[in-house]
Amino acid sequence: MPGGGQEPGSYYVGVDVGTGSVRAALVDQRGVLLAFADQPINQWEPQFNHHEQSSEDIWAACGVVTKNLRETCWDKAGHFFDLPDFLSWKATGVTARSLCSLVCKWTYSAEKGWDDSFWKLIGLEDFVADNYSKIGNQVLPPGASLGNGLTPEAARDLGLPAGIAVAASLIDAHAGGLGVIGADVRGHGLACEGQPVTSRLAVICGTSSCHMGISKDPIFVPGVWGPYFSAMVPGFWLNEGGQSVTGKLIDHVVRGHAAFPELQAKATARCQSVYAYLNSHLDLIKKARPVGFLTVDLHVWPDFHGNRSPLADLTLKGMVTGLKLSQDLDDLAILYLATVQAIAFGTRLIIEALEAAGHSLSTLFLCGGLSKNPLFVQMHADITGMPVVLSQEVESVLVGAAILGACASGDFASVQEAMSRMSKVGKVVFPRLEDKRYYDKKYQVFLKLVEHQKEYAAIMKGD
């Protein structure tokens, strides 16, 4: 069986002939049922209380179920799609894949194509058959027009005219990057105005975060995915860093605190979100100091779900140092602030890894749900020392997707032209450079936290 990871002969078929049906199962050496099939048996009642069945019919049913075991939701599958390509196929009937999906998720090389040895190594060599027809043998750059556009059936489903252009797609985070990274920044006093687009880092921050940096030549960054050619902006190499949990981590910390019910009640009374209330509460308790200084003795390492970049270590855990016995609203607000800062320090660590490998970055372009939180944005500016550009349209992923459609329609000559025309700067947040020394010290503590965690793990693993 394909993809089973065991030698041939390690599987067993059990057949059960019952009164009403024949059932069969494919079972491995551990007793795990891998596939199931059943087939009804014909019954005749020539007269009341007399029942007959056909031995030939039963044998034929046995043949049906055993064949169905071999022909699994695997052998019968005509195509295997990543979600963006599945949606494109539903819209157009075209099985062409997006270069973004295949390069970032499917080990496809923009230069060399599929690697047969990889599929054979993991037991999926049947993907190679028929010129890769099941996984894609036509690969298009994002924004390329697919087939004859929207099919009549898809047009009815979507309420749109048949035949309108449909673009080769992007993964959602990459669409967000496309929607912000190419904005015209003239007149905003940004260093990147006179620099190439490769000086910009797009950070798509929601439940988790992705850090998208592009370059003219391939740059290999330890712990950071890529480089992928033309996976986001055609003609550029993409490096993709990321944090496994960001918005999810903030929710986890806030909602799990003893003071959360009080916070929720007070926020509701003011018709505010809990985070808007927390931000205003921090402004109340900071007194004369900058708000970030409230965490002088509270520090968080944010990898509650492992580290994706740049340490690429799924065994890492979250850490908090500086807790007290009190659990009031002030404590919750300060822990929330320390968590937001920790996520920003994680971005700083990714930026340092990118720059050490050869990227030259000067400006952050944020989008996604967390970019709507002014505290999150200001902490990223202060902690990285870089200005943060926010898009005029907060739904940057949708703008990025629309840019692809605009290119597919032929209204723009290139993705880059569409980016510069359709991406607009909404707001720029500059770092408070006077607070740099404080954040540099907190960053030193941040790095010590993971260093100590690894030391603790080594102690516990030792004799």
Side-chain angles (χ1 to χ4, degrees):
M1 296 291 292
Q6 296 185 8
E7 294 298 321
S10 297
Y11 299 89
Y12 313 97
V13 175
V15 179
D16 169 29
V17 179
T19 303
S21 66
V22 175
R23 307 185 308 149
L26 185 72
V27 183
D28 68 11
Q29 289 184 329
R30 299 165 298 166
V32 176
L33 192 151
L34 302 175
F36 171 84
D38 63 349
Q39 175 71 11
I41 299 173
N42 289 319
Q43 298 185 51
W44 292 269
E45 189 175 0
Q47 62 186 62
F48 177 72
N49 213 25
H50 284 69
H51 302 276
E52 294 179 358
Q53 290 182 312
S54 165
S55 300
E56 290 298 326
D57 181 59
I58 291 172
W59 179 249
C62 289
V64 170
V65 293
T66 53
K67 288 176 182 176
N68 284 346
L69 287 180
R70 183 59 184 88
E71 296 176 358
T72 59
C73 50
W74 183 266
D75 293 293
K76 293 178 180 177
H79 300 281
F80 291 85
F81 292 110
D82 221 67
L83 181 58
D85 294 324
F86 169 78
L87 296 174
S88 298
W89 170 68
K90 289 289 287 184
T92 64
V94 175
T95 60
R97 298 333 195 256
S98 164
L99 186 65
C100 177
S101 298
L102 294 197
V103 167
C104 296
K105 303 294 187 184
W106 281 77
T107 72
Y108 183 87
S109 168
E111 297 176 302
K112 300 177 181 178
W114 293 112
D115 180 358
D116 294 1
S117 65
F118 171 75
W119 298 119
K120 292 174 182 176
L121 179 66
I122 63 172
L124 294 178
E125 57 270 18
D126 45 339
F127 275 166
V128 176
D130 298 324
N131 191 28
Y132 316 100
S133 61
K134 287 194 173 186
I135 56 174
N137 51 28
Q138 183 186 10
V139 184
L140 299 175
S145 182
L146 291 172
N148 296 317
L150 205 62
T151 65
E153 180 183 7
R156 287 193 299 271
D157 291 342
L158 300 177
L160 295 171
I164 65 170
V166 177
S169 57
L170 281 172
I171 299 166
D172 54 356
H174 300 65
L178 194 73
V180 296
I181 203 169
D184 183 351
V185 298
R186 287 176 295 182
H188 293 278
L190 293 166
C192 68
E193 178 178 336
Q195 297 172 343
V197 70
T198 54
S199 67
R200 306 176 181 191
L201 183 70
V203 184
I204 300 87
C205 38
T207 301
S208 58
S209 292
C210 293
H211 301 69
M212 307 291 197
I214 59 176
S215 58
K216 288 297 291 182
D217 298 305
I219 298 175
F220 290 85
V221 186
V224 173
W225 295 352
Y228 307 130
F229 184 67
S230 289
M232 185 173 79
V233 181
F236 287 86
W237 293 85
L238 171 69
N239 283 111
E240 180 184 346
Q243 293 164 292
S244 299
V245 286
T246 48
K248 178 68 174 178
L249 175 61
I250 295 170
D251 282 347
H252 173 77
V253 168
V254 170
R255 294 178 182 277
H257 196 278
F260 178 71
E262 178 188 355
L263 166 65
Q264 194 170 35
K266 289 184 174 180
T268 301
R270 286 193 188 177
C271 298
Q272 288 182 308
S273 73
V274 292
Y275 298 111
Y277 188 93
L278 282 172
N279 292 348
S280 62
H281 190 78
L282 285 168
D283 284 335
L284 286 176
I285 63 176
K286 71 183 178 69
K287 299 178 181 176
R289 300 179 298 173
V291 68
F293 286 44
L294 288 168
T295 60
V296 65
D297 54 4
L298 183 66
H299 310 281
V300 173
W301 178 264
D303 290 333
F304 284 49
H305 197 56
N307 182 279
R308 176 176 156 189
S309 300
L311 305 180
D313 187 347
L314 58 81
T315 70
L316 289 177
K317 308 294 190 295
M319 301 172 74
V320 182
T321 178
L323 295 174
K324 301 182 294 184
L325 280 177
S326 59
Q327 290 186 308
D328 59 18
L329 194 54
D330 287 1
D331 293 296
L332 170 53
I334 294 171
L335 180 59
Y336 155 70
L337 170 62
T339 303
V340 170
Q341 289 174 335
I343 293 168
F345 282 123
T347 292
R348 177 168 168 175
L349 186 60
I350 291 170
I351 290 171
E352 288 186 355
L354 291 168
E355 293 192 317
H359 282 273
S360 180
L361 303 168
S362 65
T363 310
L364 301 183
F365 286 71
L366 262 61
C367 65
L370 288 176
S371 69
K372 302 172 187 176
N373 183 331
L375 179 74
F376 185 90
V377 174
Q378 188 66 59
M379 287 299 105
H380 271 71
D382 293 348
I383 286 169
T384 64
M386 293 183 180
V388 174
V389 176
L390 301 177
S391 178
Q392 178 176 299
E393 301 295 338
V394 295
E395 300 294 349
S396 298
V397 173
L398 299 178
V399 172
I403 285 172
L404 298 179
C407 292
S409 72
D411 289 343
F412 295 96
S414 67
V415 169
Q416 287 90 331
E417 181 189 353
M419 286 164 52
S420 64
R421 292 275 298 277
M422 296 176 68
S423 301
K424 305 292 184 183
V425 174
K427 182 180 181 182
V428 177
V429 177
F430 289 94
R432 291 171 48 92
L433 297 179
E434 61 271 27
D435 299 342
K436 180 180 184 301
R437 187 166 178 271
Y438 170 78
Y439 289 115
D440 285 347
K441 290 192 289 185
K442 273 193 71 78
Y443 187 55
Q444 291 180 47
V445 176
F446 181 79
L447 298 178
K448 283 290 185 184
L449 286 174
V450 71
E451 179 184 329
H452 290 168
Q453 182 176 158
K454 292 180 178 180
E455 290 177 6
Y456 305 156
I459 291 170
M460 297 307 296
K461 289 178 182 176
D463 296 332

